[in-house]
């Protein structure tokens, strides 16, 4: 109980963490200055990896888009963990669930649009074909 | 019972209590977590959570712009394509600026928890300068493209590009105005509870802008410029 009494007033609520709250200072790797430095370093590495993957011929050409998407998602994860301090702890359940719903809608909108429009283009093909014949 | 749990190799040592006190009721009441018997969460938590919901809906709005761009990226109408227009060195500098500003924003948040006025103000100022440099580079890029005749009215691809990247730039500009307001409010009013709540929301906003920029530099610039 003693460590609860010494917290600043915005930490007084133990059941819920505010999104981005600097709560995990003491024991966790993702907290405090070390957490920000680690996150910064990882983000720089992932950014460099994206630029290298896109520009050099290291990666098989048709696979570049997959590599870039994976690297981008990884870097977003680094930001969420080290900068926004999202954890899987019970005090973060509300934040994670809201994020999960947001990600769900984003995936529906983006992948759904791309999927439908690609099929639409595909079904339009016979028109060009008739003209060419 | 104690003999059994003592025999388990991975048993939790009694020296460090579980900070969440799982199974032992809630911190601000007597009910279990989430049962609401402890009353509402603190204002700091509810304000930041509400802002988190706003940020997520903002990201959903961005996803519509991303979807439009993904669908229209190939529709260049005989005009310039991405690989003719995008300058990757500029994008790399922009990415570095925004990432570093996100880092200094976090350092400012740490300083504000130490109630260190000087360093909080310094880090906020550095964040603002880096953000302004990012915005200047973006405006330069847009001005150069419009001068080359590759403005938003040239093709569907360029309309989608300017809408998406411009919307992010607009957010950065709004963030800079907010940042200036926060510097002034912190200076005049000090570390009051309401000022700390606004600072918390600003930090979240700034980190979210960087997360959106990750998607932009990857999907728009790197993918668009790759052969």
């Amino acid at each position: 109980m003693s460590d609860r009494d010494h917290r600043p007033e915005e930490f007084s609520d133990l059941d819920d963490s505010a999104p981005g709250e600097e709560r995990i200072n003491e024991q966790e790797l993702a907290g405090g200055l070390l957490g920000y430095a680690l996150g910064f370093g990882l983000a720089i590495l992932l950014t460099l990896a994206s630029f290298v993957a896109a520009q050099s011929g290291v990666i098989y050409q048709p696979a570049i888009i997959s590599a870039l998407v994976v690297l981008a998602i990884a870097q977003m994860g680094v930001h969420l963990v080290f900068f926004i301090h999202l954890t899987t702890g019970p005090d973060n359940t509300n934040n994670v669930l809201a994020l999960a719903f947001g990600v769900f809608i984003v995936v529906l909108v983006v992948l759904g649009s791309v999927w439908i429009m690609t099929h639409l283009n595909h079904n339009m093909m016979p028109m060009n074909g008739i003209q060419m014949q | 019972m104690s003999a059994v749990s003592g025999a388990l190799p991975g048993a939790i040592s009694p020296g460090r209590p579980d900070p969440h006190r799982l199974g032992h009721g809630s911190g601000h009441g007597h009910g279990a977590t989430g049962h609401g018997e402890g009353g509402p969460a603190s204002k700091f938590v509810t304000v930041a959570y509400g802002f988190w919901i706003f940020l997520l809906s903002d990201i959903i709005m961005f996803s519509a712009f991303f979807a439009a761009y993904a669908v229209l990226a190939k529709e260049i109408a005989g005009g310039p394509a991405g690989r003719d227009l995008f300058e990757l060195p500029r994008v790399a500098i922009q990415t570095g600026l925004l990432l570093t500003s996100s880092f200094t924003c976090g350092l400012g948040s740490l300083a504000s928890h130490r109630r260190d006025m000087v360093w909080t103000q310094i880090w906020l100022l550095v964040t603002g300068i880096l953000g302004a440099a990012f915005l200047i580079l973006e405006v330069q890029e847009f001005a150069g493209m419009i001068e080359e005749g590759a403005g938003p009215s040239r093709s569907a691809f360029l309309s989608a590009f300017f809408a998406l990247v411009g919307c992010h730039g607009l957010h950065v500009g709004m963030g800079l105005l907010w940042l200036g307001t926060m510097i002034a409010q912190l200076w005049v009013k000090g570390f009051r509870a309401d000022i700390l709540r606004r600072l918390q929301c600003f930090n979240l906003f700034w980190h979210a802008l960087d997360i959106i920029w990750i998607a932009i530099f990857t999907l728009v610039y790197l993918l668009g410029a790759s052969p």
Side-chain angles (χ1 to χ4, degrees):
Chain A
M1 292 302 267
S2 61
D3 77 320
R4 283 176 70 190
D5 301 333
H6 289 112
R7 284 165 188 272
E9 72 248 65
E10 66 264 27
F11 288 153
S12 59
D13 198 337
L14 268 186
D15 280 349
D16 299 295
S17 276
E21 190 172 344
E22 304 272 1
R23 168 174 289 189
I24 45 178
N25 284 339
E26 303 92 15
Q27 312 109 348
E28 308 275 344
L29 199 59
L33 182 60
L34 177 70
Y36 281 107
L38 261 178
F40 191 43
L42 283 173
I44 290 175
L45 277 180
L46 288 167
T47 304
L48 287 178
S50 309
F51 273 81
V52 169
Q55 284 304 295
S56 72
V58 174
I59 291 182
Y60 176 55
Q61 182 67 33
I64 281 182
I65 181 164
S66 320
L68 287 180
V69 168
V70 167
L71 285 168
I73 291 173
Q75 197 177 339
M76 287 174 187
V78 166
H79 279 248
L80 286 174
V81 169
F82 291 97
F83 290 171
I84 301 191
H85 306 307
L86 217 60
T87 72
T88 51
D91 53 337
N92 258 292
T93 313
N94 289 335
N95 307 338
V96 172
L97 278 179
L99 177 69
F101 184 65
V103 169
F104 173 63
I105 301 290
V106 165
V107 168
L108 273 188
V109 169
V110 174
L111 290 189
S113 301
V114 171
W115 185 28
I116 289 171
M117 293 310 285
T118 329
H119 274 250
L120 212 56
N121 279 342
H122 186 71
N123 290 337
M124 290 297 202
M125 285 300 246
M127 283 184 70
N128 291 330
I130 289 163
Q131 280 164 359
M132 284 196 305
Q133 281 164 12
Chain B
M1 244 347 241
S2 60
V4 174
S5 64
L8 287 172
I12 297 164
S13 70
R16 207 175 111 193
D18 174 14
H20 308 299
R21 304 193 299 146
L22 283 177
H24 293 282
S26 103
H28 46 54
H30 296 292
T33 303
H35 284 214
E37 291 180 31
S42 72
K43 197 164 182 182
F44 185 80
V45 171
T46 48
V47 165
Y49 188 68
F51 195 75
W52 183 235
I53 301 286
F54 158 73
L55 280 180
L56 289 168
S57 48
D58 208 31
I59 287 173
I60 288 169
M61 183 206 71
F62 265 105
S63 80
F65 281 99
F66 273 107
Y69 179 82
V71 166
L72 298 173
K74 298 251 161 57
E75 314 297 329
I76 54 173
R83 73 179 65 90
D84 309 320
L85 294 168
F86 300 152
E87 309 158 42
L88 284 190
R90 180 197 295 278
V91 179
I93 296 172
Q94 279 183 298
T95 305
L97 286 171
L98 209 58
L99 180 59
T100 313
S101 84
S102 211
F103 177 60
T104 56
C105 179
L107 295 182
S109 161
L110 286 178
S112 78
H113 276 274
R114 296 194 306 268
R115 300 291 184 268
D116 186 339
M117 176 62 87
V118 176
W119 278 105
T120 308
Q121 294 281 13
I122 288 175
W123 288 127
L124 282 177
L125 200 63
V126 171
T127 306
I129 292 169
L130 292 168
F134 169 88
L135 210 55
I136 288 170
L137 281 175
E138 185 160 298
V139 169
Q140 266 183 359
E141 182 195 26
F142 282 7
M145 285 171 71
I146 290 168
E147 215 168 298
E148 287 174 37
S153 55
R154 179 61 190 86
S155 62
F157 152 66
L158 282 166
S159 305
F161 168 82
F162 276 93
L164 171 59
V165 183
C167 189
H168 178 265
L170 204 63
H171 276 76
V172 175
M174 291 295 173
L176 286 178
L177 288 181
W178 188 3
L179 178 65
T181 316
M182 286 320 302
I183 288 177
Q185 286 196 334
L186 195 62
W187 192 256
V188 174
K189 302 179 183 187
F191 290 110
R192 267 170 26 186
D194 52 346
I195 305 298
L196 284 171
R197 285 199 297 270
R198 287 171 206 170
L199 210 55
Q200 176 74 14
C201 292
F202 170 76
N203 288 338
L204 275 175
F205 184 69
W206 203 255
H207 293 313
L209 285 189
D210 203 19
I211 289 180
I212 293 168
W213 179 252
I214 296 171
I216 291 182
F217 88 74
T218 316
L219 296 178
V220 174
Y221 287 103
L222 287 181
L223 215 57
S226 76

